[in-house]
Amino acid sequence: MPVKMLTVVGARPQFVKAAALSAAIQKLGGIEESIVHTGQHYDAQMSDTFFTDLHIPAPLVNLGISGGSHGDQTGRMMQALEPVFVDQKPDLVLVYGDTNSTLAAALVASKMKIPVAHVEAGLRLYSGMEVPEEINRVLTDHVSTLLFCSSYVGVGYLGVEGITANVWDVGDVMLDTFQHSLTRTSSKPLSALGLTEDSYCVATIHRPDNVDDPKQLVATLEALDALCPPIVMPVHPRTSQSPAFASWAADRRPPYGALRLITPLPYLSMLSLMQRAKLVITDSGGVQKEAYWLGKPCVTHQRWTEWVELAEMGVNALTGGDPSNIRPRVEETLLRWQAKPFPTVAVYGDGHAAEAIVQRIKEWYASA
Ligand code: UD1
């Protein structure tokens, strides 16, 4: 009998991760996967293009739950997920990362005594639970039965918290998707924007720390706008929906600064753009790692990074969340990188994380 698994996703980075696992399940068999989409990210640009371009199977159900406060959103997701789990009777519920969708599914499943598998387990900031994603990931890890870490760092953190059973460093499923997609990138997205290779930077800013406080957001946009042009910024909906962003963008007059604001890109276009950029500036977890895999210098505009391996290797310069540090970090990073391109070490596995996860799930099920 195949393992009956429900995968719960809701946000863009989870679609990128789910693509790798669904492909590995189709290749290796032994698991019958159905996808439940909570609807946290719902539009064509943030959701549909990912399912189409990355060949993710259509969701069994889309719960259509987005917006609202954290409590409201998580609560509505829990209410909607419970009847789906009752109806489907899965052997396992699998979740990715640290969104409200992750936590809602993990709580509902664990209370129904359905084992939970957590992919990207053990990621920590140890920031005193200041960041909503940290709360989601810590709680999810502590109710999970199977824990798949992206590197050795996660295994160590889980050990410190007393979680040692069924914990594996399998590598990062985002690397699997990245590697499978590299042959499908092209220079078309650049040409469409009138850009040439190595003549521009890519920026993404969407974390609550940078977006929720209007002063921080405007100072960040000003700092990016004051850099050498062009800085191409696909604007995340959380950013574009901020009134501070809307009034800043509306007040812009010629001569314009460095920023070129565009709508969120499909995954392959985003990879194509980063692949040919001079430098990446971001507060995105996924974009930090992709810049590294592409061998691109990266400045991370955050107080902390979850991906400590990159900071420790010195390939990822942190601004500490201070917009006035963006320019000096960019200048130092470019100088260092021109002197000696950064190394690319295989800390996130070999691009076969999803296959390792499928294998471990089947072994666990066979021995249960
Ligand atoms: C983070 C949080 C996650 C949170 C999410 C909100 C971590 C560990 N987690 O993910 O809990 O829900 O922010 O979004 O970091 N991309 C495109 N087109 C674009 C921009 C990005 O395809 O225009 C792709 C990137 O190439 C990458 C992925 O989207 O593959 C990254 O998604 P992003 O929304 O930046 O989320 P994260 O910061 O990775």
Side-chain angles (χ1 to χ4, degrees):
M1 284 282 280
V3 187
K4 185 168 181 185
M5 184 173 96
L6 278 191
T7 296
V8 179
V9 292
R12 178 170 68 185
Q14 292 166 330
F15 310 143
V16 177
K17 292 162 197 167
L21 195 59
S22 295
I25 290 170
Q26 278 158 29
K27 181 175 163 191
L28 300 177
I31 297 179
E32 188 188 298
E33 181 191 38
S34 302
I35 295 180
V36 178
H37 191 325
T38 61
Q40 193 175 335
H41 284 164
Y42 51 87
D43 63 16
Q45 286 166 329
M46 296 296 288
S47 176
D48 299 356
T49 63
F50 289 82
F51 279 81
T52 315
D53 293 354
L54 298 177
H55 310 300
I56 307 170
L60 173 75
V61 56
N62 187 325
L63 304 175
I65 297 167
S66 65
S69 64
H70 280 287
D72 170 65
Q73 189 185 81
T74 312
R76 284 186 290 135
M77 285 175 180
M78 289 177 70
Q79 279 181 339
L81 284 167
E82 194 170 57
V84 179
F85 294 176
V86 169
D87 181 50
Q88 291 295 314
K89 300 181 187 54
D91 299 313
L92 185 70
V93 167
L94 183 133
V95 293
Y96 294 98
D98 48 27
T99 66
N100 289 340
S101 305
T102 312
L103 180 63
L107 286 179
V108 172
S110 58
K111 290 196 173 192
M112 291 175 68
K113 303 202 185 320
I114 303 167
V116 175
H118 187 202
V119 178
E120 210 180 70
L123 208 61
R124 295 289 184 271
L125 287 172
Y126 287 122
S127 58
M129 295 292 201
E130 265 186 67
V131 176
E133 287 97 330
E134 182 88 349
I135 299 168
N136 291 343
R137 59 172 88 103
V138 170
L139 296 180
T140 300
D141 281 340
H142 282 261
V143 296
S144 291
T145 303
L146 307 180
L147 298 102
F148 300 108
C149 302
S150 308
S151 85
Y152 64 93
V153 174
V155 177
Y157 286 160
L158 290 175
V160 169
E161 293 174 24
I163 304 173
T164 52
N166 296 328
V167 174
W168 296 280
D169 168 10
V170 287
D172 195 320
V173 284
M174 282 190 99
L175 178 59
D176 300 21
T177 305
F178 169 85
Q179 288 187 350
H180 288 139
S181 307
L182 267 188
T183 52
R184 299 169 67 206
T185 59
S186 86
S187 57
K188 278 192 194 149
L190 266 76
S191 322
L193 292 164
L195 299 169
T196 53
E197 187 157 352
D198 234 15
S199 68
Y200 63 93
C201 301
V202 175
T204 74
I205 298 293
H206 72 275
R207 291 299 184 103
D209 261 4
N210 286 326
V211 170
D212 291 356
D213 172 8
K215 274 197 198 139
Q216 172 74 7
L217 176 56
V218 169
T220 297
L221 293 167
E222 293 287 350
L224 292 170
D225 213 28
L227 296 171
C228 283
I231 312 286
V232 183
M233 178 169 160
V235 186
H236 191 284
R238 185 191 282 148
T239 310
S240 56
Q241 281 158 17
S242 149
F245 174 86
S247 66
W248 184 83
D251 285 348
R252 287 181 97 200
R253 297 279 177 271
Y256 293 111
L259 272 180
R260 288 199 41 193
L261 306 170
I262 60 172
T263 52
L265 291 168
Y267 179 73
L268 294 175
S269 303
M270 181 66 182
L271 272 197
S272 304
L273 209 61
M274 284 197 284
Q275 194 176 29
R276 292 162 178 83
K278 196 158 57 173
L279 174 118
V280 174
I281 308 166
T282 191
D283 60 4
S284 157
V287 171
Q288 282 170 57
K289 287 179 293 177
E290 287 160 355
Y292 170 63
W293 294 326
L294 287 165
K296 295 292 165 184
C298 179
V299 170
T300 294
H301 184 43
Q302 278 194 278
R303 281 191 282 174
W304 313 279
T305 176
E306 293 92 346
W307 303 105
V308 286
E309 305 87 349
L310 301 182
E312 279 168 4
M313 283 190 282
V315 301
N316 188 353
L318 279 177
T319 64
D322 182 346
S324 70
N325 284 335
I326 291 179
R327 176 182 281 278
R329 286 299 99 80
V330 166
E331 289 174 352
E332 288 155 23
T333 303
L334 279 175
L335 277 177
R336 279 180 46 226
W337 193 82
Q338 274 153 14
K340 190 170 180 247
F342 300 138
T344 304
V345 188
V347 281
Y348 297 114
D350 58 3
H352 295 279
E355 288 174 25
I357 291 172
V358 170
Q359 209 50 47
R360 297 279 181 274
I361 289 175
K362 290 198 289 190
E363 283 163 13
W364 161 81
Y365 189 65
S367 66

